Amino acid sequence: MTDLFSSFQASSKEEWIAILQKELKGESIDTLNKINRVEEITFPSYFHREDQKSQFSDPGLAPYTRGINSKNNDWTIATAFRVLDEKETNKQLISALMAGTDHLILEAVNSNSIDFGALLNEVGLSFIHTTFRAKSSEQITDFLTFVKDVAVLIEFDNNKELVNQSSKFTNPNAKIYHVDAAKVQQAGGTTWQELGIALAEGHDLLVQQMDQGVDVDTAAARIHFTLGIGSKYFFELSKIRAFRSTWAQIVSAYSPKHTCSLATTITAKTSFLNISLKDPYTNLLRQTTEAMSAVLSGIQHLNIQPYDWYSSKPNFEFTQRMATNISLLLKEESYLQIVADPAGGSYALDALTETIAERAWSTFQWIERTGGITNKDVIQQLEVEIAEKAAMRIQEIQTKTEKRIGMNIFPNPETVDNQWAELPKGWNNLKPLILEQVV
């Protein structure tokens, strides 16, 4: 078969730039350089193959920069439910499953015992994915006893407590330990701060397990990560790709027996940083682009949170359905689940991925070198640096350097009677940042 590309003459970078300068009609080519002041990254909007630093492996191959799947790009549609009344919540679960959800996130609102038989009545757990956000280790024990050997994800704020009780958790398919790096983004941190902390916390969990005699393959398989999704489309896409490669680098240092141990499970979750309650329907557009950046990067689970999840007057029947519909549209209308690594081949994204990975790795190295993620001085310094980035975001919104429709430009002419309720704290109890509140 004739090589298609041999029929076309390749253009050099100089020829490519000459064409760009002609199209710019006298403007400097520097106008195509996008500077993100908060991220401290300059991102040129044009690239040539000569700019490619290295060749990433194919999808499905270590270090999994281009995703862990080689045949498709599928993800689960995750919907969260607060468990208040087991029987009533069960009705909501069944309704959501019938509407297209295939991943249930069960969020305990307190540490009381939960009747999982009533909560999950007629729910085929082996046919879907399930995440349990627990408030106590006793709840986790009860949940794992109920689900038996079904694959599930556990989210709990005190991983150290779970490590100390690991002998109680015998489900081989449960990912017990969770790193919620989305809290860094919700506090106003950058992509590389989020990844640096995620790597450090994940590494700490890896070492804690191995110190108890668990082999690295088993230890890595028990950990899963949640990353936030922000408004900077290319940065968020590249961030997730960068995380996979850097996490693989950490695990590989311990010589696992299986290459698949270098791969990791990632849930991408929309935050409330850019959400507006005053102009609610713009959130559907924001969440759609945020979701696209996540699925194009190759995540396993997508949790689009209802934009009024923390509001005084929620309308979950509508907002949960809209969140589900976004994923359904990306699958059933755009077919983004079919092609492995749809963003592959972009020199610009490859370069941005490497830049974020380098920044994240430097942050991780500093954390490890200075005493680790549990060191008080390290935590204090990270808090200061994240707070500085949050202040920069606030300044950009207030000065309209960064524009948000419905927040600081083009306000909604209709008055919406809905207020923000208290959000969970950001990373290490930092104040969560909601840009709408600072306008």
Side-chain angles (χ1 to χ4, degrees), residues 92-106:
Q92 298 171 6
L93 301 183
I94 299 298
S95 178
L97 291 170
M98 295 298 292
T101 291
D102 59 4
H103 185 158
L104 301 176
I105 299 177
L106 310 173

Side-chain angles (χ1 to χ4, degrees), residues 352-423:
L352 187 55
T353 296
E354 287 196 357
T355 298
I356 293 174
E358 289 168 0
R359 293 284 182 86
W361 191 254
S362 294
T363 302
F364 166 68
Q365 286 182 312
W366 174 82
I367 292 172
E368 294 295 303
R369 188 171 57 247
T370 315
I373 195 62
T374 59
N375 181 277
K376 291 182 179 180
D377 292 335
V378 169
I379 293 172
Q380 185 176 24
Q381 182 61 32
L382 289 171
E383 287 177 347
V384 170
E385 293 176 358
I386 292 170
E388 289 174 350
K389 294 301 181 182
M392 292 175 70
R393 295 186 191 278
I394 292 171
Q395 182 187 41
E396 288 190 340
I397 287 293
Q398 292 177 338
T399 61
K400 297 185 179 181
T401 304
E402 191 72 21
K403 296 179 175 60
R404 294 285 189 279
I405 293 175
M407 290 188 196
N408 59 359
I409 61 170
F410 305 120
N412 186 1
E414 299 179 5
T415 301
V416 177
D417 183 19
N418 200 2
Q419 306 298 323
W420 284 100
E422 184 178 358
L423 264 71

Side-chain angles (χ1 to χ4, degrees), residues 179-230:
V179 175
D180 189 359
K183 290 182 177 180
V184 178
Q185 184 190 71
Q186 187 62 69
T190 64
T191 57
W192 41 271
Q193 286 174 330
E194 181 180 356
L195 297 195
I197 290 172
L199 293 171
E201 291 188 349
H203 180 239
D204 187 57
L205 283 170
L206 201 66
V207 171
Q208 285 185 53
Q209 293 182 77
M210 290 191 292
D211 285 346
Q212 291 193 351
V214 179
D215 63 88
V216 63
D217 295 274
T218 302
R222 290 176 174 176
I223 303 172
H224 65 108
F225 297 84
T226 294
L227 300 179
I229 322 170

Side-chain angles (χ1 to χ4, degrees), residues 1 12 17 34 41 48 51 63 71 104 108 114 150 182 197 202 224 308 315 340 353 406 415 429 435:
M1 182 177 178
S12 67
I17 290 177
K34 307 301 179 183
I41 292 176
H48 188 270
D51 296 309
K71 296 182 178 179
L104 301 176
I114 297 173
V150 173
I197 290 172
H224 65 108
D308 58 354
N315 180 15
T353 296
T415 301
N429 292 321
L435 293 176

Side-chain angles (χ1 to χ4, degrees), residues 177-438:
Y177 309 113
H178 175 236
V179 175
D180 189 359
K183 290 182 177 180
V184 178
Q185 184 190 71
Q186 187 62 69
T190 64
T191 57
W192 41 271
Q193 286 174 330
E194 181 180 356
L195 297 195
I197 290 172
L199 293 171
E201 291 188 349
H203 180 239
D204 187 57
L205 283 170
L206 201 66
V207 171
Q208 285 185 53
Q209 293 182 77
M210 290 191 292
D211 285 346
Q212 291 193 351
V214 179
D215 63 88
V216 63
D217 295 274
T218 302
R222 290 176 174 176
I223 303 172
H224 65 108
F225 297 84
T226 294
L227 300 179
I229 322 170
S231 62
K232 298 300 182 182
Y233 190 85
F234 296 125
F235 279 80
E236 297 302 323
L237 197 164
S238 301
K239 174 184 77 178
I240 295 171
R241 289 159 59 100
F243 180 72
R244 278 195 300 267
S245 63
T246 48
W247 176 249
Q249 190 172 346
I250 289 176
V251 177
S252 66
Y254 294 95
S255 303
K257 294 180 180 179
H258 308 289
T259 305
C260 61
S261 297
L262 306 182
T264 186
T265 298
I266 299 174
T267 298
K269 179 171 68 174
T270 57
S271 72
F272 299 93
L273 188 75
N274 302 293
I275 291 297
S276 171
L277 294 180
K278 297 177 181 176
D279 194 11
Y281 299 124
T282 58
N283 297 319
L284 299 178
L285 300 175
R286 292 189 179 104
Q287 290 183 324
T288 298
T289 59
E290 290 176 0
M292 283 182 64
S293 65
V295 300
L296 288 174
S297 70
I299 44 89
Q300 286 69 59
H301 311 294
L302 177 62
N303 177 206
I304 302 175
Q305 302 193 85
Y307 56 75
D308 58 354
W309 190 242
Y310 297 102
S311 70
S312 60
K313 295 184 177 181
N315 180 15
F316 294 149
E317 184 176 354
F318 172 75
T319 55
Q320 281 187 327
R321 178 70 212 214
M322 290 300 100
T324 301
N325 283 355
I326 290 173
S327 262
L328 290 174
L329 285 169
L330 295 181
K331 286 191 178 189
E332 305 301 330
E333 298 288 342
S334 301
Y335 305 112
L336 295 183
Q337 85 282 19
I338 293 176
V339 181
D341 189 23
S346 168
Y347 305 132
L349 289 177
D350 287 351
L352 187 55
T353 296
E354 287 196 357
T355 298
I356 293 174
E358 289 168 0
R359 293 284 182 86
W361 191 254
S362 294
T363 302
F364 166 68
Q365 286 182 312
W366 174 82
I367 292 172
E368 294 295 303
R369 188 171 57 247
T370 315
I373 195 62
T374 59
N375 181 277
K376 291 182 179 180
D377 292 335
V378 169
I379 293 172
Q380 185 176 24
Q381 182 61 32
L382 289 171
E383 287 177 347
V384 170
E385 293 176 358
I386 292 170
E388 289 174 350
K389 294 301 181 182
M392 292 175 70
R393 295 186 191 278
I394 292 171
Q395 182 187 41
E396 288 190 340
I397 287 293
Q398 292 177 338
T399 61
K400 297 185 179 181
T401 304
E402 191 72 21
K403 296 179 175 60
R404 294 285 189 279
I405 293 175
M407 290 188 196
N408 59 359
I409 61 170
F410 305 120
N412 186 1
E414 299 179 5
T415 301
V416 177
D417 183 19
N418 200 2
Q419 306 298 323
W420 284 100
E422 184 178 358
L423 264 71
K425 296 294 185 181
W427 181 77
N428 205 51
N429 292 321
L430 285 172
K431 182 180 179 180
L433 175 61
I434 302 174
L435 293 176
E436 183 176 67
Q437 292 184 323
V438 302

